[in-house]
Amino acid sequence: MLKSQRSVGIVGYGAYIPRYRLPAREIVRVWEGGVGGVPIQEKSVPGLDEDTITISIEAARNAMLRAQIDPQQIRAVWVGSESHPYAVKPSSTIVAEAIGAAPFIQGGDWEFACKAGTEAIQAGLGFVGSGMADYVMAIGADTAQGRPGDALEYTAAAGGAAFVLGPAEEGVAVVEASLSYVTDTPDFWRRQGASYPSHGQRFTGEPAYFHHITSAAKKLMAEMGTSAADYRFAVFHQPNVKFPQRVAAMLGFTKEQYETGLLSGTIGNTYSGSSIIGLTAILDVAKPGDRIFSVSFGSGAGSDAFSLQVTERLPERQKLAPSTQTYIRRRKEIDYALYSRYRGKLLLA
Amino acid sequence: MHIAQNWRLKAQRYRLVGEVCEHCGAKIFPPRDICPNCSHSAKESFEFSGRGEVYSFSALSETAEKFQRFRPYTMALVKLEEGPLVTAQLTDVEPDKVKIGMPVEMVTRRLMEEGNEGIILYGYKFRPMLDKVA
């Protein structure tokens, strides 16, 4: 169990979800002749001028609005993603400049498939918890790539969430403890230079998603002496709607506990943003004293589990930035043709 | 693309950092070190709120080569809350939905890029105020 000597909290949080939505039925229409079921209702699609950096900037600005601190007090800006715009040149430096945190900071980009953002959060817990820094900005964001016609094209979406970590006594939520579970499990990957990821079909389920999330979750609850009943909310990585519902049931969580953070039906799988955008939606409505259980999953594979408790400071910070549901409501439906243009799937030369 | 020139402009491009005149208090954007209002020296940095409204606009369907991928889009003169007029591209809005007086806010987006291997340039655009559309 990861627990720092100095207690750490979430001082500010923020989300961003692009405006465009591709209904899953559009993919059925184009690739399946209009016949077949869909794993979600619709997914978010980034605009022509959006990428992981612009998504991170807006999520980070929202987190700063809620944190109410001088950006020059931040000592690290870390961006977790599997779709950094540059292969070589950090996203974090651009984000740090855009929020006014540069130059006396750690800056770096993290990659661990869909759990790169929670890995950055855990590093931030250590950085603040050790006393080396008072504030860290940890971000998870993606513009996920979906191979045309592949099963993952239904869900590969875009969005991100950002968290300012700081001393627990300033937190809107205290991080009670965290834990990671990591193995070499080749369920999903993208080779250097490849445009689209590959995956192991059904192998992505039991040995990957379910094994890692349940292993991390059970171990953390066992070491903390808690059970599902101790939490008001729970949120899990959400590559579709069924997986998080099933893993929640396996761990003893009910619909009332997971429905607030389960957003994949209307925004898709935002990869590094997935579980943590769900967490922001929970923080938008949670009340002091509520406990939140959160588990990410990244292919390759691993899970990061967190136990949080909301403080008296949350209600006054909730309205200082746009809610996650505000971004979900702001939707412009597009068809597969516009989606193809927006995602660069049309080769012009 | 001029890497050094764009690098020098990053504070104003990413964060709308302009200047405030120590003599008459006028807010200045883009920064030019001389106050356009009282002609005194003005070198104190000032970060604008990013909020404003559309003062005038023009919908573009034929554009310069480097902005072709965004067409059609709208260029606008945005009257910032603090006073200055800024020329910028509007985003997250269809050209036929833009109106004079529309409340807008600054976002940092991709402005242009040098093909698939060159630098990506980021900077300010404006979009309809979020709390007015959702």
Side-chain angles (χ1 to χ4, degrees), chain A residues 207-243:
Chain A
Y209 180 90
F210 293 103
H211 175 70
H212 290 80
I213 287 186
T214 56
S215 298
K218 286 177 181 174
K219 181 78 168 169
L220 180 58
M221 285 196 276
E223 297 213 355
M224 291 184 67
T226 59
S227 68
D230 293 316
Y231 296 91
R232 176 155 183 237
F233 296 104
V235 61
F236 304 96
H237 176 58
Q238 33 205 276
N240 48 39
V241 177
K242 280 185 184 171
F243 274 28

Side-chain angles (χ1 to χ4, degrees), chain A residues 111-254:
Chain A
E111 193 280 317
F112 192 143
C114 296
K115 86 171 187 79
T118 52
E119 192 85 32
I121 290 172
Q122 282 182 328
L125 297 178
F127 211 31
V128 176
S130 69
M132 288 177 71
D134 279 339
Y135 302 102
V136 166
M137 176 69 79
I139 303 166
D142 258 306
T143 54
Q145 313 93 351
R147 187 188 301 274
D150 184 77
L152 294 184
E153 192 183 27
Y154 288 97
T155 52
F163 297 86
V164 179
L165 304 167
E169 57 271 22
E170 297 176 33
V172 299
V174 173
V175 182
E176 298 178 307
S178 177
L179 182 142
S180 289
Y181 183 88
V182 170
T183 72
D184 175 17
T185 303
D187 59 315
F188 170 100
W189 62 91
R190 181 164 62 87
R191 292 281 298 276
Q192 190 73 265
S195 298
Y196 298 112
S198 302
H199 56 86
Q201 306 288 346
R202 292 170 68 96
F203 191 68
T204 59
E206 293 300 338
Y209 180 90
F210 293 103
H211 175 70
H212 290 80
I213 287 186
T214 56
S215 298
K218 286 177 181 174
K219 181 78 168 169
L220 180 58
M221 285 196 276
E223 297 213 355
M224 291 184 67
T226 59
S227 68
D230 293 316
Y231 296 91
R232 176 155 183 237
F233 296 104
V235 61
F236 304 96
H237 176 58
Q238 33 205 276
N240 48 39
V241 177
K242 280 185 184 171
F243 274 28
Q245 287 177 326
R246 190 171 145 214
V247 86
M250 289 165 73
L251 293 166
F253 290 99
T254 63

